[in-house]
Amino acid sequence: MSLNLQKTNLRISAGLPRQFPTDAIPQVAFSGRSNVGKSSLINTLLGRKSLARVSSAPGKTITVNFYDIDQKLFFVDLPGYGFAKRTLEDKKVWSALTDGYFTANPNIDLLKLVLQLVDSRIGPTKDDEMMLDFLNQSGIPYIVIATKCDKLNATERKKSEELLASHPLIAEGTPILFFSSLKNTGKQEVWREISAATDIKL
């Protein structure tokens, strides 16, 4: 089964778990802290400039965004975490909504892969580690995407690769892909992992 990326739209920005779509199609979720580059990754993968909105104020909107690709696949953009300026109430909303995606999602069995994004320049933060621990405990398949790698020189990139490869919370054998939206680095590799997980080809 192949995808027509031109037939992509934002189906819904869900603020409550009961708003999640119930279509029986595979889901690929994007997880990461605010401003790590989730929107840029989604736009790059889909060949769009602004389908996924890159917020000028990271963490401002707390929704789960479902992107319908050719009615065959959902890209699910989970709300970013770790935004320091959020109020306690906002953090509670984030927690309830993200937890709801994993526990109150009627089609959680169709979640084929989580793309866990980390900033290649700093490695996993404490919030990233909490998410990685959750993914490990739940058995949900995931890969790690190290974003903004164009900002690293060769020495810094090698150090980042070694840090991620040896991190105790990144399960052995987990694909670790370096990505840059600016230079399209890693785009094909990410699609290859998505294709393998969903049995859907471009």
Side-chain angles (χ1 to χ4, degrees):
M1 183 166 60
S2 61
L3 280 180
N4 181 353
L5 298 184
Q6 298 304 311
K7 294 183 178 179
T8 298
N9 63 82
L10 174 60
R11 171 72 72 84
I12 188 171
S13 292
L16 297 167
R18 60 181 172 80
Q19 296 175 317
F20 297 162
T22 57
D23 310 49
I25 59 177
Q27 299 183 11
V28 171
F30 294 70
S31 170
R33 65 184 182 84
S34 297
N35 79 355
V36 74
K38 290 189 288 94
S39 296
S40 296
L41 174 58
I42 291 171
N43 286 331
T44 299
L45 291 175
L46 297 175
R48 303 293 185 89
K49 289 186 176 181
S50 58
L51 179 67
R53 295 179 295 279
V54 180
S55 176
S56 58
K60 184 177 181 180
T61 304
I62 306 177
T63 57
V64 177
N65 297 326
F66 286 80
Y67 296 92
D68 182 338
I69 307 171
D70 199 18
Q71 299 183 334
K72 297 173 183 174
L73 175 67
F74 277 127
F75 273 2
V76 185
D77 185 8
L78 299 175
Y81 52 75
F83 189 57
K85 293 183 179 179
R86 274 194 179 152
T87 65
L88 180 61
E89 188 61 34
D90 280 349
K91 290 177 181 178
K92 288 180 179 178
V93 171
W94 177 90
S95 182
L97 190 56
T98 302
D99 183 69
Y101 175 73
F102 291 106
T103 62
N105 181 354
N107 282 340
I108 192 61
D109 58 314
L110 292 173
L111 175 58
K112 302 300 182 182
L113 187 67
V114 173
L115 275 55
Q116 178 59 41
L117 280 65
V118 301
D119 190 321
S120 64
R121 300 168 298 176
I122 60 176
T125 64
K126 288 184 179 180
D127 291 306
D128 293 327
E129 289 176 341
M130 287 179 63
M131 193 68 201
L132 286 165
D133 187 51
F134 167 76
L135 293 171
N136 289 328
Q137 294 294 331
S138 65
I140 296 171
Y142 69 92
I143 65 175
V144 173
I145 309 293
T147 62
K148 307 180 183 180
C149 69
D150 58 282
K151 301 182 184 298
L152 303 177
N153 60 35
T155 300
E156 291 167 336
R157 164 119 179 205
K158 188 174 188 300
K159 183 178 179 181
S160 181
E161 289 172 349
E162 292 172 348
L163 171 68
L164 292 171
S166 63
H167 196 284
L169 285 176
I170 297 177
E172 186 176 352
T174 299
I176 300 171
L177 305 178
F178 279 70
F179 175 79
S180 165
S181 59
L182 187 64
K183 297 186 176 181
N184 270 355
T185 304
K187 177 180 177 179
Q188 296 305 319
E189 290 79 2
V190 176
W191 264 120
R192 195 174 299 127
E193 294 294 336
I194 292 172
S195 179
T198 61
D199 290 325
I200 295 175
K201 311 286 184 209
L202 274 184

